């Protein structure tokens, strides 16, 4: 299929939202795509989390990096972005890039080839990943958008951030549904965590206090094949 037609099909199936006037696709796999910029944003990959836990004696299956990169590979193949921004905590700790198996390193470098790639510094990985291409930045401004890892407590229009691993919960007809989500109010967006071994935090938790205009808050909940836009008034704690 022609790449432009494939992207158009994806955009028709996803939620097209506005962030400070910039069009963005909320993809149900947990990435944002900005069609006018040919820019893909992904957050909180937490690569090598399994090996990080193993070093501390907590043995969990060491498959997270491979699973996360396969999902990222599929997204990049679909959108063919010119720019990729990884919004911090790309690796679970500062030594993650060094521990990554050569097979995974080769796969990652193949994804990076031919496009501009930015590593936003996170609280887990404040320094540039060892021996990997791409540019490491504290934050990145493009047009009306500002990409950073942790959302600012000071209102910043156009901010796209991660860090908090948002999820949302609704209750209807006695049934509770809890899913990862994008959380936005038209002026800023907080992205869900993409990594295979990442958890989530309800958008009604006090950690989000003051970040959104409550009257325009929308949780874009990740379904199996589509996004569900849920008004803030319908959200429940837990």
């Amino acid at each position: 299929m022609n790449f432009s037609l494939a992207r158009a099909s994806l955009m028709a199936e996803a939620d097209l939202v506005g962030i400070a006037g910039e069009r963005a696709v909320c993809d149900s796999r947990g990435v944002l795509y900005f069609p006018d910029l040919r820019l893909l944003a992904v957050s909180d990959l937490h690569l090598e989390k399994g090996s990080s836990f193993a070093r501390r004696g907590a043995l969990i299956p060491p498959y997270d990096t491979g699973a996360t990169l396969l999902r990222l590979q599929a997204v990049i193949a679909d959108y063919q972005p010119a720019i990729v921004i990884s919004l911090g905590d790309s690796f679970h700790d500062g030594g993650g890039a060094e521990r990554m198996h050569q097979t995974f390193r080769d796969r990652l470098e193949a994804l990076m080839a031919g496009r501009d790639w930015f590593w936003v510094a996170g609280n887990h990985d404040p320094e540039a990943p060892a021996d990997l291409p791409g540019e490491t930045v504290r934050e990145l401004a493009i047009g009306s958008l500002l990409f950073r890892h942790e959302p600012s407590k000071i209102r910043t229009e156009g901010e796209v951030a991660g860090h908090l691993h948002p999820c949302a919960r609704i209750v209807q007809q006695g049934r509770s549904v809890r899913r990862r989500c994008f959380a936005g109010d038209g002026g800023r967006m907080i992205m869900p965590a993409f990594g295979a071994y990442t958890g989530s935090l309800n958008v009604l938790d006090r950690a989000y206090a003051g970040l959104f205009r409550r009257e325009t808050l929308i949780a874009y909940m990740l379904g199996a094949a589509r996004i569900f836009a849920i008004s803030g008034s319908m959200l429940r704690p837990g």
Side-chain angles (χ1 to χ4, degrees):
M1 180 183 290
N2 179 280
F3 284 139
S4 60
L5 291 177
R7 283 195 295 268
S9 176
L10 284 165
M11 289 169 60
E13 296 170 1
D15 261 82
L16 194 60
V17 303
I19 306 172
E22 194 71 57
R23 295 192 309 155
V25 174
C26 288
D27 189 289
S28 62
R29 291 167 290 186
V31 302
L32 275 178
Y33 180 68
F34 297 86
D36 299 327
L37 300 171
R38 291 192 59 204
L39 187 158
L40 183 80
V42 63
S43 188
D44 294 272
L45 300 173
H46 283 269
L47 299 170
E48 294 300 313
K49 183 172 182 176
S51 66
S52 180
F53 273 57
R55 293 175 70 200
R56 301 196 298 270
L59 298 181
I60 58 178
Y63 308 129
D64 57 308
T65 294
T68 299
L69 289 179
L70 280 175
R71 292 175 57 230
L72 184 59
Q73 182 177 1
V75 168
I76 288 177
D78 285 341
Y79 287 108
Q80 291 295 313
I83 304 168
V84 174
I85 301 176
S86 185
L87 277 180
D89 287 359
S90 303
F91 289 87
H92 190 67
D93 61 51
E98 293 178 321
R99 292 195 309 275
M100 189 165 56
H101 191 277
Q102 189 62 46
T103 300
F104 300 142
R105 179 178 290 271
D106 291 344
R107 185 180 300 167
L108 178 56
E109 291 187 357
L111 295 180
M112 301 175 73
R115 50 182 51 95
D116 294 327
W117 193 288
F118 295 94
W119 303 105
V120 175
N123 57 297
H124 279 263
D125 57 351
E127 305 300 330
D131 299 322
L132 281 172
E135 183 178 349
T136 298
V137 296
R138 293 293 168 187
E139 57 185 35
L140 182 65
I142 299 179
S144 62
L145 302 171
L146 179 63
F147 297 90
R148 55 163 56 114
H149 179 59
E150 296 189 37
S152 172
K153 292 296 184 181
I154 301 173
R155 179 75 191 183
T156 305
E157 292 296 310
E159 181 183 84
V160 181
H163 182 60
L164 292 175
H165 300 205
C167 72
R169 177 175 174 263
I170 58 173
V171 179
Q172 289 193 314
Q173 298 180 338
R175 181 174 175 233
S176 173
V177 178
R178 189 179 191 270
R179 294 285 188 274
R180 298 186 189 198
C181 71
F182 299 88
D185 61 3
R188 78 177 348 153
M189 182 73 79
I190 300 180
M191 296 187 60
F194 190 85
Y197 282 176
T198 51
S200 57
L201 181 66
N202 193 298
V203 295
L204 299 184
D205 187 90
R206 63 183 180 181
Y208 298 88
L211 294 182
F212 299 110
R213 301 184 186 98
R214 289 302 300 270
E215 66 274 11
T216 56
L217 171 63
I218 301 289
Y220 299 92
M221 298 176 69
L222 277 58
R226 56 165 290 194
I227 291 286
F228 296 87
I230 307 297
S231 167
S233 62
M234 295 182 63
L235 302 179
R236 298 293 180 265

